[in-house]
Amino acid sequence: MSLLNDLINLNLSDVTEKTIAEYIWIGGSGMDLRSKARTLSAPVSDPSKLPKWNYDGSSTGQAPGEDSEVILYPQAIFPDPFRRGNHILVMCDAYTPAGEPIPTNKRYDAAKIFSHPEVVSEEPWYGIEQEYTLLQKDVKWPLGWPVGGFPGPQGPYYCGIGADKAFGRDIVDAHYKACLYAGINVSGINGEVMPGQWEFQVGPSVGISAGDQLWVARYILERITEIAGVVVSFDPKPIQGDWNGAGAHTNYSTKSMREDGGYEIIKKAIEKLGLRHKHHIAAYGEGNERRLTGKHETADINTFLWGVANRGASIRVGRDTEKEGKGYFEDRRPASNMDPYVVTSMIAETTILWKP
């Protein structure tokens, strides 16, 4: 086994300029991440200098068998925390051979919104709180829970410490450091209300980079749990009953909101979000109705309300923002399995571009 680890950790830069690029893309379900690796003749730091590549879309639910070729366009590069050295992770989106984005390519439309001059001038910032649940591999039951049974009620687990409260911290810390190594702006981690559930925060990130960074952070988490023999779930309500669900609260601000008088801009933006509540809910993650019940720190899925420091609201404004008259707000509606390209671009579109 030690020989295997030695080979995995070989430093190729001692003997060759060749590097390995792991191309990452989103599969047909909209949540299944896929990847494969190719050798480059020398290090590359600009995604536009990377070659396009193809894959069998009929095996990912993204193309028919008789016309199965899908083309990967490299969009963002991250240092590879697994291979290290000059090796890279490459976030891609997917196109037909004719150059048309395939239906599951949500990055394409998001990039169009983020390149709109009005959006560019507002410099939208995002901070996404990604919650997830660690599951025992063979039984698909939360890590640390007795198989077929339940732990004690919620209360001691949120930000808790100790072997009877925090389950999977080694995975969480490994992911934290691996993301920082990869250049992902992870701003923190914490244990969540339900035991076996954790959260990491990505941001502040500007525009399309928020989606790129969150998807690659999810990829790194999937790889680490693969190594650990644990399953990661992004289901918004993995356990029914009196247990918290899992969300992806999305913190947001524009340049106008961050400047003096920004609180009035925030209130106008929230009003617009309320007018498009159903439109947003429809795009905020599958199964979200199981989570947004009006209980467990959520607003009911059919109700839109906002408040200062209210964790039972659709939109929460922080005390500091109210006091300073400028800042940001938190959209608490997105589910843990949301597509960050969709959610971030939709918030920008509604608050900046949409005219009621």
Side-chain angles (χ1 to χ4, degrees):
M1 203 64 183
S2 61
L3 176 58
L4 181 61
N5 286 329
D6 288 345
L7 292 171
I8 289 171
N9 294 315
L10 275 177
N11 184 359
L12 297 184
S13 61
D14 292 341
V15 294
T16 181
E17 283 195 349
K18 292 181 178 178
T19 60
I20 300 170
E22 190 79 27
Y23 280 42
I24 303 165
W25 71 96
I26 301 159
S29 74
M31 270 305 290
D32 57 315
L33 284 162
R34 311 284 180 128
S35 74
K36 60 177 183 172
R38 68 182 299 160
T39 303
L40 307 175
S41 59
V44 176
S45 58
D46 181 351
S48 68
K49 299 290 195 295
L50 287 168
K52 295 173 184 175
W53 206 5
N54 65 73
Y55 68 91
D56 172 16
S58 70
S59 294
T60 62
Q62 293 170 296
E66 65 274 12
D67 187 16
S68 64
E69 192 167 284
V70 180
I71 311 302
L72 293 171
Y73 287 31
Q75 299 291 358
I77 288 175
F78 300 84
D80 185 341
F82 302 102
R83 296 187 176 105
R84 288 168 279 191
N86 292 320
H87 310 302
I88 54 176
L89 304 176
V90 184
M91 191 64 209
C92 304
D93 58 355
Y95 297 78
T96 68
E100 295 295 321
I102 65 172
T104 53
N105 180 353
K106 306 304 183 184
R107 191 187 192 279
Y108 178 82
D109 286 336
K112 285 200 296 185
I113 291 169
F114 285 122
S115 63
H116 190 286
E118 289 182 54
V119 177
V120 172
S121 68
E122 282 289 355
E123 297 176 21
W125 289 6
Y126 298 91
I128 302 174
E129 305 170 28
Q130 176 69 70
E131 295 177 339
Y132 60 93
T133 308
L134 297 175
L135 304 177
Q136 301 168 57
K137 183 167 72 78
D138 295 326
V139 293
K140 302 292 178 69
W141 198 240
L143 203 64
W145 290 35
V147 176
F150 296 88
Q154 295 183 152
Y157 310 108
Y158 172 69
C159 298
I161 59 171
D164 58 343
K165 301 179 191 72
F167 310 118
R169 191 185 296 276
D170 52 347
I171 292 169
V172 175
D173 274 348
H175 176 250
Y176 193 176
K177 289 185 176 180
C179 284
L180 291 174
Y181 180 96
I184 296 168
N185 195 22
V186 172
S187 50
I189 58 162
N190 61 268
E192 268 303 330
V193 178
M194 189 183 87
Q197 191 182 87
W198 295 82
E199 173 184 299
F200 65 90
Q201 303 96 32
V202 172
S205 307
V206 180
I208 197 72
S209 70
D212 290 336
Q213 290 196 29
L214 189 71
W215 273 116
V216 175
R218 285 174 171 176
Y219 172 83
I220 291 171
L221 181 58
E222 293 263 20
R223 286 282 306 275
I224 290 172
T225 53
E226 172 191 321
I227 293 166
V230 170
V231 174
V232 60
S233 170
F234 295 103
D235 189 289
K237 186 72 173 179
I239 304 295
Q240 295 303 307
D242 195 18
W243 304 98
N244 274 36
H249 301 158
T250 301
N251 299 275
Y252 171 72
S253 70
T254 63
K255 187 178 180 183
S256 299
M257 294 174 190
R258 297 187 293 269
E259 294 175 345
D260 290 342
Y263 193 33
E264 292 305 311
I265 306 295
I266 287 172
K267 287 192 282 188
K268 289 176 183 177
I270 293 172
E271 182 181 353
K272 291 168 81 173
L273 288 168
L275 293 172
R276 297 188 90 194
H277 177 62
K278 289 184 179 179
H279 179 68
H280 280 253
I281 286 294
Y284 271 19
E286 188 176 340
N288 212 10
E289 72 283 351
R290 293 183 282 116
R291 168 180 162 262
L292 297 181
T293 61
K295 300 176 181 178
H296 304 111
E297 303 180 65
T298 71
D300 183 86
I301 195 167
N302 297 309
T303 304
F304 182 88
L305 59 97
W306 73 277
V308 176
N310 182 359
R311 282 181 160 75
S314 312
I315 305 288
R316 181 184 68 86
V317 175
R319 291 278 182 210
D320 287 348
T321 294
E322 180 188 44
K323 182 179 178 181
E324 295 174 14
K326 59 185 176 181
Y328 70 97
F329 64 82
E330 175 192 47
D331 191 339
R332 297 179 60 80
R333 297 171 295 173
S336 50
N337 60 1
M338 63 80 155
D339 187 325
Y341 294 135
V342 173
V343 169
T344 56
S345 62
M346 186 175 285
I347 292 172
E349 181 185 39
T350 295
T351 60
I352 301 171
L353 301 178
W354 185 63
K355 307 293 189 254

